[in-house]
Amino acid sequence: LKQQQTNQELKIATDIQTKLLPEKLPELPNYSFGAISVSAREVGGDYYDAFLLANGEVGLLICDIVGKGVPAALVMVMIKSIFITYAHMLPSPKDLFERVNKVLCNDLTVDKYVPIFYAVINPATKRLRYSNAGHEPAYLLRASTETYEKLDTEGFPVGAMEDTVYEEKELAMDDDDIFLMFTD
């Protein structure tokens, strides 16, 4: 009976976590978005999101909460809430990381650090701004030259050190380029 109860609770946690991922990705002319998530366990700490910002830009986020299972999934819920709240107020990935980092460092309930990669695409100008907080870098695959650019910046995972200063970079995208983010 105890095993059945545990299995039922894990199923509920899995359902909740699945609902935290975007049900629908943004739809914009001349852009297409795709995503897949396969958890190593019933629940885990990998999270991605793609969302429209009020100014017409698109926010793209991927993170890997350190750890696995239910504890990582609970931190994921908190990260989603904090990140989405501030993403709509702070258009700069660097500024957003600095705010989220301060919130996490001052929250005694969170004892984990979180590697995150965050990018903002401006569909009108085809500009991409990005910042990396200790996550695997993203890549931009250039269609015109069939080459790729590794997109990375300096910065510790959010929640690791309160006074961390994050770096932000920007570049132009061309038609048919592919922007790729991934986590383990």
Side-chain angles (χ1 to χ4, degrees):
L1 285 175
K2 184 152 180 91
Q3 184 63 40
Q4 285 178 337
Q5 181 180 0
T6 300
N7 289 344
Q8 182 61 28
E9 288 173 358
L10 281 174
K11 184 186 179 322
I12 292 168
T14 301
D15 291 345
I16 291 170
Q17 186 173 30
T18 300
K19 290 176 183 170
L20 290 172
L21 297 174
E23 187 176 303
K24 189 174 164 187
L25 297 173
E27 294 180 18
L28 297 171
N30 303 317
Y31 287 85
S32 63
F33 297 91
I36 186 169
S37 177
V38 180
S39 183
R41 295 186 181 171
E42 289 86 354
V43 292
D46 292 341
Y47 170 66
Y48 70 88
D49 210 343
F51 47 89
L52 290 172
L53 297 167
N55 62 3
E57 294 180 324
V58 178
L60 302 168
L61 161 76
I62 192 163
C63 68
D64 182 10
I65 287 92
V66 174
K68 301 281 184 228
V70 174
L74 291 172
V75 173
M76 185 188 92
V77 171
M78 181 180 253
I79 290 296
K80 175 181 173 106
S81 176
I82 295 168
F83 207 89
I84 297 301
T85 297
Y86 288 112
H88 292 283
M89 292 186 256
L90 300 167
S92 161
K94 171 193 180 315
D95 294 345
L96 179 56
F97 275 156
E98 289 173 3
R99 177 69 60 86
V100 171
N101 186 57
K102 284 194 186 304
V103 170
L104 288 179
C105 285
N106 290 306
D107 189 327
L108 299 177
T109 62
V110 179
D111 64 350
K112 296 186 178 297
Y113 56 90
V114 184
I116 302 175
F117 190 99
Y118 179 62
V120 176
I121 295 175
N122 183 320
T125 64
K126 297 181 185 176
R127 303 289 298 176
L128 174 77
R129 295 187 318 277
Y130 63 93
S131 190
N132 190 0
H135 196 276
E136 288 91 2
Y139 289 87
L140 184 65
L141 308 172
R142 295 285 188 182
S144 61
T145 59
E146 296 183 359
T147 60
Y148 68 89
E149 294 177 39
K150 182 178 177 179
L151 308 182
D152 205 3
T153 62
E154 296 291 321
F156 288 108
V158 295
M161 295 175 42
E162 187 170 353
D163 295 328
T164 299
V165 175
Y166 294 93
E167 183 182 9
E168 179 174 321
K169 293 183 180 175
E170 183 173 343
L171 54 82
M173 295 178 66
D174 295 320
D175 292 340
D176 299 320
D177 283 353
I178 297 172
F179 174 65
L180 174 69
M181 299 187 311
F182 63 93
T183 191
D184 65 356

Coordinates of all heavy atoms in Angstrom, one line a residue, residues 1 7 55 60-61 85 94 108 110 116 121 129 134 142:
L1 N 0.8 -1.2 0.0 CA 0.0 0.0 0.0 C 0.9 1.3 0.0 O 0.5 2.2 -0.7 CB -0.9 0.0 1.2 CG -2.1 -0.9 1.2 CD1 -2.9 -0.9 2.5 CD2 -3.0 -0.6 0.0
N7 N 3.8 5.7 -5.6 CA 3.7 5.7 -7.1 C 2.6 6.7 -7.5 O 2.7 7.5 -8.5 CB 3.3 4.4 -7.6 CG 4.5 3.4 -7.5 OD1 5.7 3.8 -7.3 ND2 4.2 2.1 -7.6
N55 N 6.6 43.5 -25.3 CA 7.1 44.4 -26.4 C 7.2 43.6 -27.7 O 7.8 44.1 -28.7 CB 8.5 44.9 -26.0 CG 9.5 43.8 -25.7 OD1 9.2 42.6 -25.9 ND2 10.7 44.2 -25.3
L60 N 13.3 33.0 -24.4 CA 13.6 31.5 -24.4 C 14.5 31.2 -23.3 O 15.6 31.8 -23.1 CB 14.3 31.2 -25.8 CG 13.6 31.6 -27.0 CD1 14.5 31.5 -28.3 CD2 12.4 30.7 -27.2
L61 N 14.1 30.2 -22.5 CA 14.8 29.8 -21.3 C 15.0 28.3 -21.2 O 14.1 27.6 -21.6 CB 13.8 30.3 -20.1 CG 14.0 29.7 -18.7 CD1 15.3 30.3 -18.1 CD2 12.8 30.0 -17.9
T85 N 7.8 36.1 -13.7 CA 7.4 37.4 -13.1 C 8.3 38.5 -13.5 O 7.9 39.6 -13.9 CB 7.4 37.3 -11.5 OG1 6.4 36.3 -11.2 CG2 7.0 38.6 -10.9
K94 N 20.7 40.0 -18.8 CA 21.7 40.3 -17.8 C 21.0 40.8 -16.5 O 21.2 40.3 -15.4 CB 22.7 41.3 -18.3 CG 23.7 41.8 -17.2 CD 24.4 43.1 -17.8 CE 25.4 43.7 -16.8 NZ 25.0 43.9 -15.5
L108 N 15.7 31.6 2.0 CA 16.3 30.5 2.8 C 15.7 29.1 2.5 O 16.2 28.1 2.9 CB 16.1 30.8 4.3 CG 16.8 32.1 4.8 CD1 16.4 32.3 6.2 CD2 18.3 32.0 4.6
V110 N 15.5 27.9 -0.5 CA 16.2 27.3 -1.7 C 17.7 27.1 -1.3 O 18.4 28.0 -1.0 CB 16.1 28.3 -2.9 CG1 16.9 27.7 -4.1 CG2 14.7 28.5 -3.3
I116 N 21.2 28.4 -15.8 CA 20.2 28.8 -16.7 C 20.8 29.5 -18.0 O 21.8 30.3 -17.8 CB 19.2 29.8 -16.1 CG1 18.6 29.3 -14.8 CG2 18.1 30.3 -17.1 CD1 17.7 30.3 -14.1
I121 N 14.7 37.0 -28.4 CA 14.7 37.3 -29.8 C 13.7 38.4 -30.1 O 12.6 38.4 -29.7 CB 14.2 36.1 -30.6 CG1 15.2 34.9 -30.4 CG2 14.1 36.4 -32.1 CD1 14.8 33.6 -31.1
R129 N 19.5 38.6 -28.0 CA 20.3 39.0 -26.8 C 20.3 37.8 -25.9 O 19.3 37.1 -25.8 CB 19.6 40.2 -26.1 CG 19.6 41.4 -26.9 CD 19.1 42.6 -26.1 NE 18.0 42.4 -25.2 CZ 16.7 42.4 -25.7 NH1 16.4 42.7 -26.9 NH2 15.7 42.2 -24.8
G134 N 26.0 29.9 -16.0 CA 26.6 28.6 -15.7 C 26.0 27.4 -16.4 O 26.2 26.2 -15.9
R142 N 24.5 28.8 -38.5 CA 24.3 29.8 -39.6 C 24.0 29.1 -40.9 O 24.8 28.3 -41.4 CB 25.6 30.6 -39.8 CG 25.9 31.5 -38.6 CD 25.0 32.7 -38.6 NE 25.4 33.6 -37.5 CZ 24.8 34.7 -37.3 NH1 23.7 35.0 -38.0 NH2 25.2 35.5 -36.4

